[in-house]
Amino acid sequence: MGSERSSIVLVTGFGPFGSHKVNSSSEAVKELKKLGLGVQNVKLVVAEIPVLYDHVDKILPDLIDQYDPVLVISVGLSSAANILTLEQFANCAGYDREDIAGKWPVDKKCKSVEQAPPDNKFKSIINMDKVVCSPLLKAKNIQACVSDDAGLFLCDYIYCTAMGWMRHLNKPLSNAFIHVPPLNKPFNAPQLAQQIQVSIQAMLLQLKEKHMVSF
């Protein structure tokens, strides 16, 4: 086991936007980097991405190409959330909200998508309902919920970009998006990081069952 090539989990957070001068997603991801994943033979790579569509278009595919991750997770802030919210689907079109540069995608579509599914949504192979009900989360008293609509802004867009690029590479859609509350409403960054860590552990167990990762 020790001689095997380490699997990589890529986790991204977002920079500031709007009234959120400090984005809880990037702060939580920074703390996650300190904490680690706590899974043998699985390496964590993190990145912060500006709230800009064209930066997502360039940076995320480059990261996937560079690291060949077994699991790609993006974390984003939701003012409506008070617990972790795991997104099952990513929308391929309908992006008409301006980013921090006042721009939106050409034709309001996700650039990485070569051929959208019939319902214009990608679905992760990770069963998010199973994640939130995982004994790992229950053991830590972590509450989380599942959403079917990631919101048609940068959070949704980066999720779709990741799955579109994984599809382009003929890889399984082993992706996740986690919405987190604003800082201290009610969790601080280290608390969010621990919750994200345990959620990732639950996701990796699903991939282990599919023989996509070993640890």
Side-chain angles (χ1 to χ4, degrees):
M1 184 76 70
S3 63
E4 293 180 2
R5 175 177 176 267
S6 292
S7 298
I8 291 175
V9 173
L10 172 64
V11 181
T12 69
F14 278 115
F17 73 101
S19 62
H20 301 286
K21 304 306 180 186
V22 176
N23 193 317
S24 57
S25 69
S26 61
E27 295 305 305
V29 170
K30 289 174 189 174
E31 292 295 329
L32 180 65
K33 183 178 181 180
K34 299 176 189 176
L35 188 62
L37 293 177
V39 179
Q40 186 177 6
N41 207 42
V42 179
K43 179 183 176 184
L44 173 66
V45 173
V46 304
E48 180 179 317
I49 299 181
V51 182
L52 295 163
Y53 292 107
D54 58 359
H55 280 56
V56 171
D57 290 336
K58 177 72 170 71
I59 295 171
L60 195 62
D62 284 352
L63 288 169
I64 293 172
D65 288 346
Q66 180 179 354
Y67 291 106
D68 189 23
V70 69
L71 176 60
V72 180
I73 300 171
S74 292
V75 183
L77 183 159
S78 170
S79 297
N82 56 15
I83 58 175
L84 294 195
T85 303
L86 279 59
E87 303 292 345
Q88 187 66 66
F89 300 92
N91 290 293
C92 296
Y95 293 96
D96 57 2
R97 292 178 62 187
E98 295 181 352
D99 62 18
I100 60 173
K103 298 179 181 179
W104 57 86
V106 175
D107 296 327
K108 304 175 185 178
K109 295 179 179 179
C110 185
K111 185 177 180 180
S112 76
V113 178
E114 295 169 344
Q115 184 172 357
D119 61 355
N120 239 6
K121 292 183 178 183
F122 282 125
K123 182 179 181 180
S124 171
I125 65 168
I126 305 291
N127 184 323
M128 302 303 170
D129 287 315
K130 286 182 65 175
V131 174
V132 302
C133 294
S134 167
L136 293 177
L137 274 72
K138 292 183 182 299
K140 298 287 187 180
N141 294 316
I142 296 171
Q143 289 187 307
C145 64
V146 178
S147 164
D148 289 340
D149 186 354
L152 285 172
F153 191 40
L154 265 294
C155 292
D156 205 344
Y157 191 83
I158 198 170
Y159 195 18
C160 186
T161 297
M163 288 203 268
W165 197 249
M166 298 284 267
R167 176 64 55 84
H168 169 76
L169 297 173
N170 294 313
K171 293 180 178 294
L173 301 185
S174 50
N175 303 78
F177 190 92
I178 302 174
H179 269 120
V180 295
L183 284 181
N184 304 315
K185 294 186 177 182
F187 305 109
N188 61 30
Q191 290 171 326
L192 289 173
Q194 186 195 36
Q195 293 176 29
I196 293 168
Q197 180 205 51
V198 177
S199 299
I200 293 173
Q201 291 172 356
M203 294 175 192
L204 286 169
L205 282 177
Q206 289 190 35
L207 297 184
K208 187 176 183 181
E209 292 172 359
K210 298 176 185 292
H211 306 290
M212 292 175 60
V213 64
S214 61
F215 50 86

